[in-house]
């Protein structure tokens, strides 16, 4: 069975963007592939985090994965916390020593996040190497992701190829799995940018933990344009196209069907339509989330995931260690 792997940083509450690019894909593919779904807490501290909030976000994230349809009882589903597996950092170091610095500083995500904070840390630079380690340790063939992480998966591919050429076959070459619709859910207030959970402006993002009224308000105040015509055009009408995308994903129709439904009305009708399909799904996730938290299963799921992920990662790390000449033969 091929392996699929992905992670969503516990840098805040998950957004509908994280649902579209990450979790919904895991739920769709979970019966087809052996799945490694991890909480990248080590990635989260590439920008400042409050320790108490980080602990809470980790548990809440796992409960939300399950609430969104990930089935922790599937025999080939492994959910774990990155920092509970020390091999990630070890392999990351080795990969860092094989990555030209310029390959890291040209990454879009690095440029965007470092622009927000002049005192950015080295962790923000080397983050893609840690992500490559996350993937390569498990021989993951598929990495479900939004468009924003495509460049990082490409770096992991390049590293894997370079490694295999230099040291012999060692890593599976990973491929990003990018959804055809919803690969870049846009910021509601600045539709040029992608929606992000670590936004400074809460009106920009719909969080899976938002209550119904808040979601409706955020959708109704989403930035559109002055043209007044409902049409799908990512480049010239990013705000309206984003609303159509949300309608399509949450209403389970094609983009053409969404355009057809709203083309004779105004943006107000489109926004109301989006709220009507988005809200019931999020409310259902929240009901399930509360059940998961009450059931207390999260710790057991994470214990099992920690043990299994350590076993798999240890085997791969042993191969790499020997190949690069570390320690004793
Ligand atoms: P942060 O702002 O802390 O970076 P984020 O919202 O970008 O948070 P990540 O944890 O970086 O979320 O990414 C988790 C997953 O969600 C990745 O697969 C990423 O590609 C996907 N993703 C993130 N934002 C979006 C988006 N706006 N649209 C679609 N997919 C997204
Ligand atoms: Mg991100």
């Amino acid at each position: 069975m091929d392996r699929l792997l992905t992670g969503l940083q516990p840098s805040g509450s998950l957004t509908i963007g994280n649902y579209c690019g990450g979790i919904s894909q895991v739920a769709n593919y979970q019966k087809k592939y052996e799945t490694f779904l991890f909480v990248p807490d080590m990635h989260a501290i590439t920008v400042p985090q409050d320790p108490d909030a980080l602990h809470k976000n980790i548990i809440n994230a796992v409960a939300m994965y399950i609430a969104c349809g990930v089935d922790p009882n599937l025999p080939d589903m492994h959910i774990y916390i990155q920092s509970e597996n020390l091999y990630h950092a070890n392999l990351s170091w080795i990969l860092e020593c094989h990555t030209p610095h310029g390959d890291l500083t040209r990454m879009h995500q690095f440029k965007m996040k470092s622009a927000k904070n002049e005192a950015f840390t080295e962790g923000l630079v080397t983050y893609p190497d840690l992500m490559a380690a996350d993937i390569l340790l498990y021989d993951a063939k598929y990495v479900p992701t939004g468009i924003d992480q495509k460049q990082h998966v490409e770096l992991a591919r390049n590293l894997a190829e370079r490694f295999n050429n230099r040291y012999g076959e060692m890593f599976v070459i990973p491929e990003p799995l990018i959804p055809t619709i919803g690969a870049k859910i846009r910021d509601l207030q600045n539709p040029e940018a992608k929606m992000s959970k670590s936004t400074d402006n809460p009106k920009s993002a719909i969080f899976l933990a938002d209550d119904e009224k808040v979601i409706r308000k955020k959708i109704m105040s989403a930035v559109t344009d002055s043209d007044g015509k409902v049409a799908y055009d990512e480049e010239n009408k990013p705000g309206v196209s984003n609303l159509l995308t949300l309608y399509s994903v949450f209403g389970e129709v094609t983009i053409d069907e969404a355009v057809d439904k709203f083309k004779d009305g105004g943006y107000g009708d489109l926004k109301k339509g989006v709220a009507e399909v988005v809200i019931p799904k999020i409310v259902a996730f929240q009901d399930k989330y509360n059940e998961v938290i009450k059931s207390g299963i999260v710790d057991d799921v994470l214990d099992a995931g920690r043990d299994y992920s350590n076993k798999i990662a240890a085997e791969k790390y042993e191969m790499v260690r020997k190949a690069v000449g570390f320690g004793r033969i």
Side-chain angles (χ1 to χ4, degrees):
M1 203 182 217
D2 285 330
R3 288 180 176 162
L4 173 146
L5 174 143
T6 200
L8 298 97
Q9 297 185 62
S11 43
S13 173
L14 298 179
T15 70
I16 51 172
N18 302 140
Y19 174 74
C20 296
I23 284 301
S24 68
Q25 294 210 81
V26 175
N28 286 340
Y29 289 118
Q30 62 188 347
K31 292 200 176 128
K32 198 166 169 198
Y33 303 119
E34 182 176 19
T35 302
F36 291 77
L37 174 58
F38 70 104
V39 189
D41 50 352
M42 292 163 70
H43 285 290
I45 65 160
T46 52
V47 296
Q49 300 292 337
D50 171 68
D52 288 334
L54 187 55
H55 278 310
K56 284 187 193 125
N57 284 340
I58 291 168
I59 300 302
N60 295 349
V62 175
M64 196 50 100
Y65 300 164
I66 298 170
C68 291
V70 171
D71 182 353
N73 296 317
L74 288 174
D76 295 312
M77 172 62 68
H78 315 291
I79 305 177
Y80 54 100
I81 300 175
Q82 184 185 33
S83 65
E84 292 186 356
N85 184 323
L86 303 183
Y87 295 106
H88 291 242
N90 275 303
L91 180 58
S92 178
W93 174 252
I94 296 174
L95 297 178
E96 278 174 46
C97 296
H98 290 76
T99 312
H101 185 68
D103 284 6
L104 297 172
T105 48
R106 72 178 171 80
M107 294 282 142
H108 303 312
Q109 288 289 307
F110 167 72
K111 285 187 187 158
M112 241 176 54
K113 290 193 174 180
S114 58
K116 280 193 195 166
N117 180 3
E118 265 181 37
F120 66 84
T121 67
E122 198 57 26
L124 195 66
V125 184
T126 57
Y127 158 117
D129 277 319
L130 179 58
M131 180 164 154
D134 300 334
I135 299 168
L136 302 181
L137 269 176
Y138 300 93
D139 283 335
K141 184 155 180 200
Y142 300 111
V143 183
T145 169
I147 206 87
D148 57 306
Q149 295 294 328
K150 185 168 176 253
Q151 206 184 21
H152 292 164
V153 180
E154 274 159 13
L155 182 96
R157 281 176 71 86
N158 293 341
L159 274 166
E161 277 164 5
R162 211 176 300 152
F163 238 82
N164 288 353
N165 287 338
R166 178 159 172 195
Y167 298 106
E169 284 305 305
M170 190 156 316
F171 294 130
V172 166
I173 311 295
E175 280 172 39
L177 277 185
I178 296 171
T180 38
I181 307 173
K184 179 180 176 181
I185 300 298
R186 294 169 181 276
D187 182 306
L188 297 178
Q189 293 302 313
N190 171 22
E192 303 295 328
K194 81 165 193 76
M195 185 182 285
S196 282
K197 72 174 105 64
S198 60
T199 176
D200 298 329
N201 178 1
K203 280 163 97 187
S204 293
I206 296 173
F207 298 100
L208 299 181
D210 278 345
D211 88 31
E212 200 175 322
K213 271 196 200 142
V214 172
I215 299 172
R216 194 180 304 277
K217 216 166 156 193
K218 286 180 178 177
I219 294 172
M220 295 313 289
S221 56
V223 168
T224 48
D225 53 51
S226 53
D227 163 49
K229 200 164 164 271
V230 174
Y232 189 83
D233 179 347
E234 287 266 356
E235 204 165 309
N236 300 307
K237 298 172 70 64
V240 173
S241 301
N242 194 41
L243 291 166
L244 288 165
T245 300
L246 290 176
Y247 190 85
S248 160
V249 173
F250 285 86
E252 297 177 34
V253 298
T254 63
I255 293 282
D256 285 348
E257 285 165 341
V259 173
D260 238 32
K261 187 168 165 75
F262 295 104
K263 68 177 188 307
D264 299 325
Y267 295 162
D269 289 342
L270 171 60
K271 289 176 173 177
K272 277 188 203 142
V274 171
E276 263 166 42
V277 292
V278 167
I279 289 171
K281 288 231 161 122
I282 297 189
V283 168
F285 295 155
Q286 292 173 354
D287 290 346
K288 180 83 200 287
Y289 172 88
N290 291 331
E291 274 172 36
V292 175
I293 291 283
K294 249 197 229 152
S295 73
I297 61 165
V298 171
D299 264 334
D300 293 341
V301 166
L302 288 172
D303 283 350
R306 176 200 56 213
D307 294 347
Y308 187 76
S309 76
N310 269 278
K311 179 174 156 283
I312 302 294
E315 287 164 12
K316 182 60 68 179
Y317 183 75
E318 184 59 13
M319 274 175 78
V320 179
R321 173 191 79 74
K322 282 188 184 145
V324 299
F326 277 3
R328 284 176 275 181
I329 296 174

